[in-house]
Amino acid sequence: MIFPCTRSDILVQATKLLAKLLHQKEDLEEAVKCFSTAFEKFPDIVDNDDVNLYLELLTSLGWYNQALGVCCELCGVQFGGSSLPQEELSDLDSDQQLATFEELVVPADLPADIRAKLIVVLVHVDALDLIQDLCQQFLEAEIEYFGDLVI
């Protein structure tokens, strides 16, 4: 059976392929641009493998704040427990905002490799108080569930 492809499907697949080729050639910034464009224009066609590679690119470049934004926007990661009202929170820069949160909410179905990258990102943005539960999941999990992780 042949499935009809839309123009957007073809564009997204071409963009993803280009980003992966650029990654292989170690042109990381251009690969990030490709993924950013694809995700911005076609957010409904993003899959976990794409997000995982995108996060790998961002962390390789040291762009941890952007990687954290991707985790929130594309993976459903949320922060909670801030004691500040929204108006005051909005006036703070991202590091100060992050310091006010007491809770990290991670979707139960978030793949282990993305969870691991989230931990790396949170360590680099100095949000160590938010990763304890996430790290504990890795320590208590069966190897068959998480498998081998390379970060």
Side-chain angles (χ1 to χ4, degrees):
M1 177 177 211
I2 298 175
F3 295 100
C5 288
T6 65
R7 184 169 187 253
S8 63
D9 289 336
I10 294 168
L11 288 172
V12 167
Q13 291 307 318
T15 302
K16 290 178 185 180
L17 179 60
L18 179 58
K20 289 176 184 179
L21 290 171
L22 288 166
H23 176 251
Q24 290 171 353
K25 294 200 176 277
E26 297 186 23
D27 191 350
L28 304 183
E29 289 188 26
E30 285 302 314
V32 165
K33 287 179 188 177
C34 285
F35 271 123
S36 297
T37 301
F39 293 164
E40 186 178 303
K41 291 185 178 188
F42 309 103
D44 54 328
I45 305 179
V46 175
D47 64 24
N48 287 330
D49 290 336
D50 299 327
V51 172
N52 187 41
L53 180 54
Y54 190 36
L55 288 171
E56 182 179 325
L57 293 166
L58 292 169
T59 56
S60 294
L61 290 166
W63 297 353
Y64 301 109
N65 285 329
Q66 189 174 347
L68 187 57
V70 168
C71 289
C72 295
E73 292 169 26
L74 300 177
C75 302
V77 172
Q78 298 177 351
F79 296 93
S82 177
S83 58
L84 292 178
Q86 183 62 38
E87 308 82 50
E88 290 180 38
L89 198 56
S90 299
D91 292 337
L92 301 175
D93 68 31
S94 61
D95 291 339
Q96 291 171 325
Q97 286 179 3
L98 199 54
T100 69
F101 294 112
E102 298 170 0
E103 180 183 14
L104 176 68
V105 181
V106 178
D109 62 346
L110 191 66
D113 49 357
I114 295 177
R115 287 173 184 261
K117 285 180 178 64
L118 176 60
I119 290 171
V120 169
V121 167
L122 290 170
V123 166
H124 281 279
V125 297
D126 201 28
L128 300 177
D129 54 321
L130 296 174
I131 63 171
Q132 184 175 356
D133 291 339
L134 200 53
C135 288
Q136 195 64 35
Q137 292 172 8
F138 281 102
L139 295 173
E140 294 173 354
E142 295 292 324
I143 190 75
E144 292 83 24
Y145 177 71
F146 278 138
D148 294 332
L149 294 172
V150 178
I151 304 174

